[in-house]
């Protein structure tokens, strides 16, 4: 009798477990159908604990990918693609997650495997080309350094602009009054709001506070602000008030006006917006006569396109698509027009390092645009890099990247002056020397003109005044160095750097390098055929630097 009762209890427990998991799976699938991927993740995770189902794995991996949890997505896709029953789209998604971590060689192989089956998908050809292109991208700003904003949160922080003695930016961080916080179903986080971080007396940024409470909406996404230079107008994005045919409140562009750049009147939707499409990422030109923005409205090149509207007396003109030189069949976004006339924007359609990259273009006399240039490092990375903003004097800037862990973070840009003095005859005192030795591999020959002042690295070693970046130039190698052999002492030339508060001076000294004393870094591993320095490798190299 006891055995019978025990067996019945075990059966009942199994039934309850199965019912609970079935309930989780049903809930997850419903949330997935509603595009609420963040909310679906924990339910899929529970269902997957006992049901190693390929379909559950695929949906969970997609949820990870769409919410920018690329490491988790790549790990799961690695399991999925090893299954003979995996859908071919899994090859594509796996390749994209690999590319986002800088594994271009392996990513290219999976893109090619996908392309061999889906021969009509022409977009994958661009991804294959991007895997090769990523290894060749040169920095657009040769003298730029990027530093993480000290007030970043564990949530998304993006779209920063310099304004009102600080930075105005967008974030879905938790509000102060948590009991009033409402969450977005798509992200399972607070709705986006505008925040302001003031520059303090010591030059640091203070704790962010909500910027203009009457502009932020507790139950709608509000953000991506841009300001007219004279402070008379502010433009931003917010969910509209009308539901479209897809039962969604599309993003719309709003304009608020002010007489002092501080107090804003009630914002109104810009008339050319339509509730059936999304209008977002506004950027007003420095002269206030052009409003750039992004939309997925019909008639574009595909995905999201960048448009411009011109100010005509007291109204904005019908928007014009910037054309196929800028817009692609992929996604473009976050335009920014600088005082010098250069237009910056991000794109997934142009060749890049992975994810969104930031590009720059200029308008020609005939109204067309020059071919966009990829900004390269340190601004672009294998992750998503978006929403750049550069001050009028091109001394500092801001941009957003997901490189630091999946969520969007703000980075501060510093543009080092290009007037770097190089003096061959300047003798440096031993106390202030920093010797950076570079011995090429036998197959490499590095050549550089001593008059070329373009730095390879901008860094700040602890042994130098922290306010003065040290510029490390390429080695000057006059001829190929032979392979190391036992008892040989090859000669290389070493760049010695000296830094003061106002300039950098460098001289070249010949140094005898003993091959037996070279550093070995076993933790620095490259994928087969790869030489791209990923962020994990960079962390190790930073310690050496």
């Amino acid at each position: 009798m006891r055995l019978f009762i025990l067996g019945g209890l075990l059966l009942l427990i199994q039934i309850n477990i199965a019912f609970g998991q079935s309930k989780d799976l049903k809930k997850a699938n419903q949330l997935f159908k509603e595009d609420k991927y963040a909310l679906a993740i924990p339910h899929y995770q529970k269902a997957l604990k006992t049901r190693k189902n390929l379909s559950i794995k695929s949906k969970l991996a997609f949820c990870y990918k769409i919410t920018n949890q690329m490491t988790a997505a790549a790990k799961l896709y690695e399991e999925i693609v090893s299954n003979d029953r995996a859908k071919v789209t899994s090859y594509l998604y796996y390749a994209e997650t690999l590319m986002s971590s800088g594994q271009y060689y392996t990513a290219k192989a999976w893109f090619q495997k996908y392309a061999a089956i889906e021969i009509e998908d022409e977009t994958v050809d661009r991804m294959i080309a991007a895997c090769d292109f990523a290894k060749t991208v040169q920095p657009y700003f040769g003298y730029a350094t990027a530093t993480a904003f000290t007030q970043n949160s564990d949530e998304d922080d993006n779209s920063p602009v310099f304004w009102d003695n600080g930075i105005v930016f967008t974030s879905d961080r938790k509000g102060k009054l948590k009991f009033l916080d409402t969450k977005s179903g798509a992200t399972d986080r607070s709705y986006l709001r505008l925040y302001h971080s003031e520059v303090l007396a010591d030059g640091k940024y203070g704790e962010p506070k909500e910027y203009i409470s009457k502009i932020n909406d507790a139950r709608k996404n509000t953000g991506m602000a841009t300001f007219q230079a004279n402070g008379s107008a502010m433009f931003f994005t917010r969910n509209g008030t009308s539901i479209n045919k897809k039962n969604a409140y599309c993003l719309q562009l709003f304009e608020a006006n002010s007489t002092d750049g501080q107090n804003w009147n009630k914002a109104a939707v810009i008339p050319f917006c339509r509730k059936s499409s999304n209008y977002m990422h506004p950027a007003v030109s420095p002269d206030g006569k052009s409003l750039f923005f992004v939309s997925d409205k019909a008639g574009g090149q595909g995905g999201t396109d960048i448009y411009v509207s011109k100010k005509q007396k007291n109204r904005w003109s019908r928007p014009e698509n910037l054309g196929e030189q800028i817009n692609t069949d992929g996604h473009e976004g976050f335009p920014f027009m600088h005082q010098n006339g250069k237009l910056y924007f991000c794109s997934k359609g142009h060749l890049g390092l992975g994810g969104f990259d930031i590009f720059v273009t200029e308008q020609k006399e005939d109204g067309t645009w020059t071919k966009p240039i990829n900004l390269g490092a340190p601004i672009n990375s294998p992750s998503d890099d978006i929403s750049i903003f550069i001050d009028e004097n091109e001394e500092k800037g801001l941009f957003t990247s997901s490189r630091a862990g999946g969520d969007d973070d703000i980075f501060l840009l510093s543009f080092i002056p290009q007037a770097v003095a190089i003096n061959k005859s300047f003798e440096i005192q031993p106390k202030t020397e920093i010797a950076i030795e570079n011995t090429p591999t036998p197959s490499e020959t590095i050549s550089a003109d001593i008059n070329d002042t373009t730095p390879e690295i901008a860094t700040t070693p602890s042994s130098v005044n922290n306010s003065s970046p040290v510029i490390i130039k390429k080695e000057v190698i006059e001829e190929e160095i032979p392979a190391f052999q036992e008892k040989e002492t090859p000669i290389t030339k070493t760049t010695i750097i000296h830094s003061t508060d106002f300039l950098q001076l460098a001289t070249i000294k010949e140094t005898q390098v003993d091959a037996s004393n070279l550093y070995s870094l076993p933790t620095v591993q490259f994928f087969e055929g790869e030489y791209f320095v990923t962020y994990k490798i960079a962390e190790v190299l930073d310690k050496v630097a």
Side-chain angles (χ1 to χ4, degrees):
M1 184 68 177
R2 290 176 63 189
L3 290 175
F4 177 78
I5 293 172
L6 181 59
L9 287 172
L10 289 173
L11 180 61
L12 184 61
I13 290 170
Q14 290 172 348
I15 291 172
N16 286 335
I17 291 172
F19 175 77
Q21 285 161 1
S22 176
K23 187 178 178 181
D24 274 315
L25 184 56
K26 186 176 180 180
K27 180 68 174 176
N29 287 335
Q30 181 60 37
L31 292 167
F32 188 93
K33 187 178 180 180
E34 296 172 1
D35 298 338
K36 297 178 179 178
Y37 304 110
L39 293 175
I41 287 174
H43 296 287
Y44 278 131
Q45 289 173 332
K46 288 179 182 178
L48 196 59
K49 285 182 178 179
T50 56
R51 294 183 63 180
K52 305 300 181 182
N53 183 290
L54 186 63
S55 175
I56 297 175
K57 283 185 179 181
S58 298
K59 288 182 177 178
L60 177 57
F62 185 82
C63 288
Y64 284 142
K65 179 177 177 293
I66 207 74
T67 55
N68 217 21
Q69 301 179 56
M70 292 300 190
T71 302
K75 185 177 180 180
L76 201 49
Y77 275 125
E78 186 177 10
E79 295 179 23
I80 293 167
V81 297
S82 65
N83 192 310
D84 294 336
R85 295 184 295 109
K87 292 182 178 180
V88 67
T89 52
S90 297
Y91 301 165
L92 176 65
Y93 296 152
Y94 182 42
E96 289 176 343
T97 59
L98 289 170
M99 193 175 182
S100 72
S101 63
Q103 299 180 51
Y104 298 112
Y105 183 83
T106 312
K108 181 180 177 180
W110 282 101
F111 279 130
Q112 289 173 326
K113 191 170 182 177
Y114 170 81
I117 301 171
E118 294 291 337
I119 57 177
E120 294 184 1
D121 187 350
E122 297 178 358
T123 60
V124 73
D125 294 333
R126 182 172 60 231
M127 303 305 294
I128 293 171
C131 288
D132 294 325
F133 171 80
K135 305 168 188 174
T136 68
V137 179
Q138 298 297 312
Y140 181 77
F141 296 105
Y143 296 80
T145 59
T147 308
F149 180 44
T150 55
Q151 298 296 342
N152 283 325
S153 68
D154 292 333
E155 286 76 34
D156 284 336
D157 305 292
N158 55 47
S159 310
V161 297
F162 291 120
W163 187 257
D164 194 12
N165 190 38
I167 296 174
V168 172
F169 64 97
T170 304
S171 179
D172 59 4
R173 62 182 62 199
K174 294 177 182 178
K176 270 192 171 181
L177 301 176
K178 295 180 175 59
F179 64 93
L180 292 178
D181 241 7
T182 53
K183 290 187 176 182
S184 164
T187 64
D188 194 29
R189 294 177 181 174
S190 302
Y191 283 98
L192 294 168
R193 296 185 179 95
L194 287 171
Y195 287 83
H196 178 255
S197 176
E198 186 179 7
V199 177
L200 304 177
D202 60 3
K204 296 179 181 179
Y205 286 95
E207 182 181 354
K209 299 177 181 178
E210 280 199 45
Y211 188 66
I212 314 174
S213 57
K214 68 178 180 181
I215 295 292
N216 287 326
D217 192 311
R219 296 184 178 277
K220 292 181 180 179
N221 289 303
T222 305
M224 307 166 197
T226 180
F227 299 87
Q228 202 154 302
N230 62 7
S232 63
M234 166 189 180
F235 306 87
F236 61 92
T237 302
R238 184 198 286 159
N239 293 108
T241 56
S242 302
I243 299 177
N244 65 7
K245 293 180 180 179
K246 295 182 180 179
N247 199 36
Y249 292 95
C250 285
L251 294 170
Q252 308 282 278
L253 299 177
F254 287 76
E255 179 178 358
N257 300 111
S258 173
T259 56
D260 59 6
Q262 300 284 330
N263 300 295
W264 302 92
N265 62 11
K266 186 177 180 180
V269 177
I270 297 178
F272 60 66
C273 294
R274 297 290 180 266
K275 70 176 184 179
S276 57
S277 303
N278 289 297
Y279 296 78
M280 51 197 169
H281 310 173
V284 65
S285 61
D287 62 8
K289 295 179 180 179
S290 299
L291 181 64
F292 296 88
F293 66 93
V294 175
S295 180
D296 59 2
K297 69 191 189 80
Q301 305 294 327
T304 55
D305 282 7
I306 300 174
Y307 293 81
V308 65
S309 174
K310 303 291 186 179
K311 191 75 172 181
Q312 296 177 344
K313 294 184 178 179
N314 293 323
R315 59 182 292 273
W316 291 102
S317 69
R318 182 178 180 179
E320 296 180 8
N321 190 294
L322 293 193
E324 61 183 10
Q325 183 74 299
I326 291 177
N327 293 317
T328 67
D329 57 359
H331 292 292
E332 279 69 46
F334 294 96
F336 163 69
M337 172 65 78
H338 193 268
Q339 279 85 350
N340 60 19
K342 293 181 180 180
L343 178 68
Y344 296 84
F345 67 98
C346 70
S347 174
K348 271 192 175 181
H350 294 283
L351 295 183
L353 306 184
F356 278 101
D357 274 20
I358 302 175
F359 297 80
V360 63
T361 181
E362 293 183 78
Q363 193 167 27
K364 296 185 284 189
E365 290 184 3
D366 63 0
T368 60
W369 298 87
T370 59
K371 183 179 180 180
I373 299 173
N374 189 300
L375 296 188
I379 297 171
N380 289 328
S381 71
S383 302
D384 286 332
D385 304 290
I386 60 174
S387 66
I388 194 168
F389 186 94
I390 300 173
D391 75 337
E392 183 176 357
N393 299 321
E394 294 187 274
E395 295 177 349
K396 58 183 180 177
L398 304 159
F399 72 101
T400 304
S401 179
S402 63
R403 68 188 63 179
D407 61 295
D408 286 347
D409 287 314
I410 294 169
F411 287 80
L412 308 179
L413 279 171
S414 176
F415 299 105
I416 304 168
Q418 296 189 18
V420 179
I422 302 295
N423 185 346
K424 288 185 181 180
S425 62
F426 183 81
E427 288 299 325
I428 302 171
Q429 298 302 316
K431 290 183 180 179
T432 61
E433 287 186 354
I434 300 173
I436 308 297
E437 297 186 355
N438 178 20
T439 305
T441 60
S443 61
E444 288 181 323
T445 302
I446 306 174
S447 60
D449 192 326
I450 188 62
N451 295 317
D452 176 12
T453 59
T454 304
E456 274 295 288
I457 308 169
T459 184
T460 311
S462 59
S463 57
V464 185
N465 187 323
N466 286 338
S467 64
S468 303
V470 174
I471 308 303
I472 304 173
K473 282 187 54 59
K474 287 182 179 178
E475 296 302 326
V476 181
I477 307 296
E478 296 175 343
E479 58 182 327
E480 188 170 344
I481 296 176
F484 288 151
Q485 296 177 5
E486 192 174 357
K487 297 183 180 180
E488 268 196 358
T489 308
I491 296 177
T492 185
K493 291 189 177 181
T494 303
T495 304
I496 309 296
I497 305 299
H498 175 63
S499 177
T500 70
D501 289 337
F502 57 92
L503 82 165
Q504 292 78 36
L505 298 168
T507 187
I508 304 299
K509 289 186 177 181
E510 286 193 356
T511 305
Q512 297 288 328
V513 180
D514 183 356
S516 64
N517 292 329
L518 295 176
Y519 284 107
S520 174
L521 299 174
T523 55
V524 175
Q525 300 292 329
F526 293 85
F527 288 91
E528 183 180 354
E530 292 288 342
Y531 56 85
F532 187 84
V533 178
T534 65
Y535 287 93
K536 288 185 178 179
I537 293 174
E539 287 177 359
V540 179
L541 298 180
D542 281 344
K543 293 176 183 178
V544 178

